[in-house]
PDB file of all heavy atoms in Angstrom:
ATOM      1  N   SER J   8      29.136 -83.633  36.777  1.00 57.00           N
ATOM      2  CA  SER J   8      28.942 -82.619  37.818  1.00 57.00           C
ATOM      3  C   SER J   8      29.287 -81.229  37.301  1.00 57.00           C
ATOM      4  O   SER J   8      28.559 -80.270  37.527  1.00 57.00           O
ATOM      5  CB  SER J   8      29.813 -82.963  39.035  1.00 57.00           C
ATOM      6  OG  SER J   8      29.701 -81.950  40.015  1.00 57.00           O
ATOM      7  N   ALA J  15      23.506 -74.699  35.310  1.00 50.00           N
ATOM      8  CA  ALA J  15      22.867 -73.912  36.363  1.00 50.00           C
ATOM      9  C   ALA J  15      23.326 -72.459  36.316  1.00 50.00           C
ATOM     10  O   ALA J  15      22.528 -71.525  36.468  1.00 50.00           O
ATOM     11  CB  ALA J  15      23.179 -74.518  37.734  1.00 50.00           C
ATOM     12  N   CYS J  25      16.951 -61.288  32.069  1.00 50.00           N
ATOM     13  CA  CYS J  25      15.516 -61.074  31.901  1.00 50.00           C
ATOM     14  C   CYS J  25      15.004 -60.062  32.925  1.00 50.00           C
ATOM     15  O   CYS J  25      14.170 -59.209  32.624  1.00 50.00           O
ATOM     16  CB  CYS J  25      14.750 -62.389  32.048  1.00 50.00           C
ATOM     17  SG  CYS J  25      15.033 -63.554  30.682  1.00 50.00           S
ATOM     18  N   ILE J  46       3.737 -26.041  31.445  1.00 98.00           N
ATOM     19  CA  ILE J  46       4.233 -25.187  30.360  1.00 98.00           C
ATOM     20  C   ILE J  46       4.190 -25.932  29.030  1.00 98.00           C
ATOM     21  O   ILE J  46       3.763 -25.376  28.013  1.00 98.00           O
ATOM     22  CB  ILE J  46       5.664 -24.702  30.673  1.00 98.00           C
ATOM     23  CG1 ILE J  46       5.661 -23.789  31.893  1.00 98.00           C
ATOM     24  CG2 ILE J  46       6.262 -23.976  29.466  1.00 98.00           C
ATOM     25  CD1 ILE J  46       7.049 -23.311  32.316  1.00 98.00           C
ATOM     26  N   GLU J  63      12.145 -22.214  33.488  1.00 97.00           N
ATOM     27  CA  GLU J  63      11.593 -22.239  34.842  1.00 97.00           C
ATOM     28  C   GLU J  63      12.460 -21.442  35.809  1.00 97.00           C
ATOM     29  O   GLU J  63      11.953 -20.853  36.771  1.00 97.00           O
ATOM     30  CB  GLU J  63      11.434 -23.677  35.326  1.00 97.00           C
ATOM     31  CG  GLU J  63      10.287 -24.424  34.654  1.00 97.00           C
ATOM     32  CD  GLU J  63       9.926 -25.699  35.377  1.00 97.00           C
ATOM     33  OE1 GLU J  63      10.452 -25.907  36.495  1.00 97.00           O
ATOM     34  OE2 GLU J  63       9.119 -26.478  34.837  1.00 97.00           O
ATOM     35  N   ASN J  71      12.020 -11.151  38.653  1.00 98.00           N
ATOM     36  CA  ASN J  71      11.458 -11.091  37.307  1.00 98.00           C
ATOM     37  C   ASN J  71       9.940 -10.965  37.317  1.00 98.00           C
ATOM     38  O   ASN J  71       9.340 -10.645  36.284  1.00 98.00           O
ATOM     39  CB  ASN J  71      11.847 -12.351  36.519  1.00 98.00           C
ATOM     40  CG  ASN J  71      13.346 -12.474  36.332  1.00 98.00           C
ATOM     41  OD1 ASN J  71      14.054 -11.478  36.188  1.00 98.00           O
ATOM     42  ND2 ASN J  71      13.854 -13.697  36.339  1.00 98.00           N
ATOM     43  N   VAL J  79      -2.649 -10.125  38.498  1.00 97.00           N
ATOM     44  CA  VAL J  79      -3.173 -11.480  38.278  1.00 97.00           C
ATOM     45  C   VAL J  79      -3.921 -11.969  39.518  1.00 97.00           C
ATOM     46  O   VAL J  79      -3.352 -12.037  40.605  1.00 97.00           O
ATOM     47  CB  VAL J  79      -2.031 -12.460  37.949  1.00 97.00           C
ATOM     48  CG1 VAL J  79      -2.584 -13.852  37.693  1.00 97.00           C
ATOM     49  CG2 VAL J  79      -1.242 -11.964  36.742  1.00 97.00           C
ATOM     50  N   TYR J  82      -2.826 -15.148  42.356  1.00 96.00           N
ATOM     51  CA  TYR J  82      -1.440 -15.131  41.890  1.00 96.00           C
ATOM     52  C   TYR J  82      -0.632 -16.326  42.392  1.00 96.00           C
ATOM     53  O   TYR J  82       0.041 -17.007  41.610  1.00 96.00           O
ATOM     54  CB  TYR J  82      -0.778 -13.827  42.325  1.00 96.00           C
ATOM     55  CG  TYR J  82       0.705 -13.757  42.026  1.00 96.00           C
ATOM     56  CD1 TYR J  82       1.170 -13.390  40.771  1.00 96.00           C
ATOM     57  CD2 TYR J  82       1.649 -14.065  43.016  1.00 96.00           C
ATOM     58  CE1 TYR J  82       2.526 -13.326  40.489  1.00 96.00           C
ATOM     59  CE2 TYR J  82       3.010 -14.003  42.752  1.00 96.00           C
ATOM     60  CZ  TYR J  82       3.438 -13.631  41.488  1.00 96.00           C
ATOM     61  OH  TYR J  82       4.783 -13.580  41.218  1.00 96.00           O
ATOM     62  N   GLU J  93       3.073 -29.176  43.761  1.00 81.00           N
ATOM     63  CA  GLU J  93       1.974 -29.950  44.321  1.00 81.00           C
ATOM     64  C   GLU J  93       1.183 -29.079  45.281  1.00 81.00           C
ATOM     65  O   GLU J  93       1.710 -28.496  46.214  1.00 81.00           O
ATOM     66  CB  GLU J  93       2.501 -31.181  45.069  1.00 81.00           C
ATOM     67  CG  GLU J  93       3.157 -32.216  44.166  1.00 81.00           C
ATOM     68  CD  GLU J  93       2.169 -32.865  43.210  1.00 81.00           C
ATOM     69  OE1 GLU J  93       0.963 -32.894  43.562  1.00 81.00           O
ATOM     70  OE2 GLU J  93       2.581 -33.321  42.132  1.00 81.00           O
ATOM     71  N   ALA J  95      -3.005 -28.684  47.114  1.00 58.00           N
ATOM     72  CA  ALA J  95      -4.322 -29.275  47.313  1.00 58.00           C
ATOM     73  C   ALA J  95      -5.399 -28.253  46.955  1.00 58.00           C
ATOM     74  O   ALA J  95      -6.133 -27.750  47.811  1.00 58.00           O
ATOM     75  CB  ALA J  95      -4.475 -29.741  48.751  1.00 58.00           C
ATOM     76  N   GLU J 102     -15.054 -25.479  42.450  1.00 86.00           N
ATOM     77  CA  GLU J 102     -14.805 -25.802  41.044  1.00 86.00           C
ATOM     78  C   GLU J 102     -14.707 -24.540  40.197  1.00 86.00           C
ATOM     79  O   GLU J 102     -13.868 -24.440  39.300  1.00 86.00           O
ATOM     80  CB  GLU J 102     -15.927 -26.703  40.514  1.00 86.00           C
ATOM     81  CG  GLU J 102     -15.715 -27.154  39.079  1.00 86.00           C
ATOM     82  CD  GLU J 102     -16.789 -28.109  38.610  1.00 86.00           C
ATOM     83  OE1 GLU J 102     -17.565 -28.593  39.463  1.00 86.00           O
ATOM     84  OE2 GLU J 102     -16.851 -28.366  37.395  1.00 86.00           O
ATOM     85  N   LEU J 107     -10.946 -20.390  37.571  1.00 95.00           N
ATOM     86  CA  LEU J 107     -10.356 -19.053  37.605  1.00 95.00           C
ATOM     87  C   LEU J 107      -8.847 -19.131  37.789  1.00 95.00           C
ATOM     88  O   LEU J 107      -8.097 -18.331  37.212  1.00 95.00           O
ATOM     89  CB  LEU J 107     -10.984 -18.232  38.733  1.00 95.00           C
ATOM     90  CG  LEU J 107     -12.460 -17.832  38.541  1.00 95.00           C
ATOM     91  CD1 LEU J 107     -12.983 -17.135  39.786  1.00 95.00           C
ATOM     92  CD2 LEU J 107     -12.623 -16.936  37.320  1.00 95.00           C
ATOM     93  N   GLU J 109      -6.925 -21.596  36.715  1.00 95.00           N
ATOM     94  CA  GLU J 109      -6.370 -22.018  35.427  1.00 95.00           C
ATOM     95  C   GLU J 109      -6.275 -20.837  34.458  1.00 95.00           C
ATOM     96  O   GLU J 109      -5.273 -20.686  33.747  1.00 95.00           O
ATOM     97  CB  GLU J 109      -7.248 -23.126  34.836  1.00 95.00           C
ATOM     98  CG  GLU J 109      -7.221 -24.421  35.642  1.00 95.00           C
ATOM     99  CD  GLU J 109      -8.193 -25.448  35.110  1.00 95.00           C
ATOM    100  OE1 GLU J 109      -8.872 -25.145  34.101  1.00 95.00           O
ATOM    101  OE2 GLU J 109      -8.282 -26.539  35.699  1.00 95.00           O
ATOM    102  N   SER J 110      -7.304 -20.003  34.436  1.00 97.00           N
ATOM    103  CA  SER J 110      -7.280 -18.813  33.576  1.00 97.00           C
ATOM    104  C   SER J 110      -6.203 -17.837  34.047  1.00 97.00           C
ATOM    105  O   SER J 110      -5.504 -17.232  33.221  1.00 97.00           O
ATOM    106  CB  SER J 110      -8.656 -18.139  33.598  1.00 97.00           C
ATOM    107  OG  SER J 110      -8.645 -16.947  32.834  1.00 97.00           O
ATOM    108  N   ALA J 139      11.628 -19.974  11.598  1.00 98.00           N
ATOM    109  CA  ALA J 139      10.699 -21.020  11.163  1.00 98.00           C
ATOM    110  C   ALA J 139       9.376 -20.444  10.673  1.00 98.00           C
ATOM    111  O   ALA J 139       8.454 -21.186  10.353  1.00 98.00           O
ATOM    112  CB  ALA J 139      10.444 -21.988  12.319  1.00 98.00           C
ATOM    113  N   ARG J 144       3.504 -14.527   7.661  1.00 97.00           N
ATOM    114  CA  ARG J 144       4.155 -13.629   6.710  1.00 97.00           C
ATOM    115  C   ARG J 144       3.283 -12.406   6.458  1.00 97.00           C
ATOM    116  O   ARG J 144       2.064 -12.434   6.667  1.00 97.00           O
ATOM    117  CB  ARG J 144       4.417 -14.352   5.385  1.00 97.00           C
ATOM    118  CG  ARG J 144       5.344 -15.563   5.510  1.00 97.00           C
ATOM    119  CD  ARG J 144       5.551 -16.227   4.160  1.00 97.00           C
ATOM    120  NE  ARG J 144       6.376 -17.425   4.232  1.00 97.00           N
ATOM    121  CZ  ARG J 144       7.701 -17.430   4.215  1.00 97.00           C
ATOM    122  NH1 ARG J 144       8.351 -16.287   4.107  1.00 97.00           N
ATOM    123  NH2 ARG J 144       8.376 -18.561   4.289  1.00 97.00           N
ATOM    124  N   PRO J 146       0.991  -9.926   4.559  1.00 96.00           N
ATOM    125  CA  PRO J 146       0.039 -10.193   3.468  1.00 96.00           C
ATOM    126  C   PRO J 146       0.237  -9.303   2.232  1.00 96.00           C
ATOM    127  O   PRO J 146      -0.349  -9.574   1.177  1.00 96.00           O
ATOM    128  CB  PRO J 146      -1.314  -9.906   4.132  1.00 96.00           C
ATOM    129  CG  PRO J 146      -1.003  -8.890   5.187  1.00 96.00           C
ATOM    130  CD  PRO J 146       0.352  -9.247   5.698  1.00 96.00           C
ATOM    131  N   PHE J 149       4.086  -6.450  -2.079  1.00 93.00           N
ATOM    132  CA  PHE J 149       5.401  -5.834  -2.205  1.00 93.00           C
ATOM    133  C   PHE J 149       6.399  -6.340  -1.166  1.00 93.00           C
ATOM    134  O   PHE J 149       7.611  -6.189  -1.334  1.00 93.00           O
ATOM    135  CB  PHE J 149       5.287  -4.313  -2.095  1.00 93.00           C
ATOM    136  CG  PHE J 149       4.652  -3.664  -3.295  1.00 93.00           C
ATOM    137  CD1 PHE J 149       4.052  -2.408  -3.209  1.00 93.00           C
ATOM    138  CD2 PHE J 149       4.659  -4.313  -4.530  1.00 93.00           C
ATOM    139  CE1 PHE J 149       3.477  -1.814  -4.327  1.00 93.00           C
ATOM    140  CE2 PHE J 149       4.073  -3.729  -5.641  1.00 93.00           C
ATOM    141  CZ  PHE J 149       3.486  -2.488  -5.552  1.00 93.00           C
ATOM    142  N   SER J 151       6.801  -9.445  -0.376  1.00 94.00           N
ATOM    143  CA  SER J 151       7.325 -10.740  -0.871  1.00 94.00           C
ATOM    144  C   SER J 151       7.413 -11.815   0.212  1.00 94.00           C
ATOM    145  O   SER J 151       8.417 -12.496   0.362  1.00 94.00           O
ATOM    146  CB  SER J 151       8.707 -10.523  -1.504  1.00 94.00           C
ATOM    147  OG  SER J 151       8.650  -9.558  -2.528  1.00 94.00           O
ATOM    148  N   ARG J 183      -3.505 -14.142  10.784  1.00 94.00           N
ATOM    149  CA  ARG J 183      -4.461 -14.875   9.963  1.00 94.00           C
ATOM    150  C   ARG J 183      -5.244 -15.899  10.785  1.00 94.00           C
ATOM    151  O   ARG J 183      -6.419 -16.132  10.551  1.00 94.00           O
ATOM    152  CB  ARG J 183      -3.732 -15.581   8.814  1.00 94.00           C
ATOM    153  CG  ARG J 183      -3.214 -14.620   7.750  1.00 94.00           C
ATOM    154  CD  ARG J 183      -2.689 -15.375   6.541  1.00 94.00           C
ATOM    155  NE  ARG J 183      -2.274 -14.469   5.487  1.00 94.00           N
ATOM    156  CZ  ARG J 183      -1.833 -14.856   4.289  1.00 94.00           C
ATOM    157  NH1 ARG J 183      -1.732 -16.157   4.019  1.00 94.00           N
ATOM    158  NH2 ARG J 183      -1.480 -13.962   3.377  1.00 94.00           N
ATOM    159  N   SER J 185      -7.393 -17.194  13.602  1.00 95.00           N
ATOM    160  CA  SER J 185      -8.320 -16.577  14.551  1.00 95.00           C
ATOM    161  C   SER J 185      -7.960 -16.929  15.989  1.00 95.00           C
ATOM    162  O   SER J 185      -8.195 -16.141  16.910  1.00 95.00           O
ATOM    163  CB  SER J 185      -9.753 -17.035  14.247  1.00 95.00           C
ATOM    164  OG  SER J 185      -9.866 -18.455  14.334  1.00 95.00           O
ATOM    165  N   GLY J 192      -2.426  -8.993  23.481  1.00 98.00           N
ATOM    166  CA  GLY J 192      -1.197  -8.391  22.974  1.00 98.00           C
ATOM    167  C   GLY J 192      -0.175  -8.079  24.055  1.00 98.00           C
ATOM    168  O   GLY J 192       1.028  -7.987  23.779  1.00 98.00           O
ATOM    169  N   HIS J 201      10.963  -4.142  17.931  1.00 96.00           N
ATOM    170  CA  HIS J 201      12.029  -3.164  17.729  1.00 96.00           C
ATOM    171  C   HIS J 201      13.334  -3.639  18.369  1.00 96.00           C
ATOM    172  O   HIS J 201      14.412  -3.537  17.763  1.00 96.00           O
ATOM    173  CB  HIS J 201      11.597  -1.826  18.313  1.00 96.00           C
ATOM    174  CG  HIS J 201      10.201  -1.437  17.941  1.00 96.00           C
ATOM    175  ND1 HIS J 201       9.104  -1.858  18.654  1.00 96.00           N
ATOM    176  CD2 HIS J 201       9.721  -0.699  16.910  1.00 96.00           C
ATOM    177  CE1 HIS J 201       7.999  -1.378  18.084  1.00 96.00           C
ATOM    178  NE2 HIS J 201       8.346  -0.683  17.021  1.00 96.00           N
TER     179      HIS J 201
END
Side-chain angles (χ1 to χ4, degrees):
S8 176
C25 291
I46 295 177
E63 287 194 9
N71 297 326
V79 181
Y82 174 83
E93 293 294 334
E102 183 176 348
L107 291 175
E109 293 175 1
S110 177
R144 299 180 183 276
F149 288 158
S151 304
R183 289 189 176 183
S185 59
H201 314 86

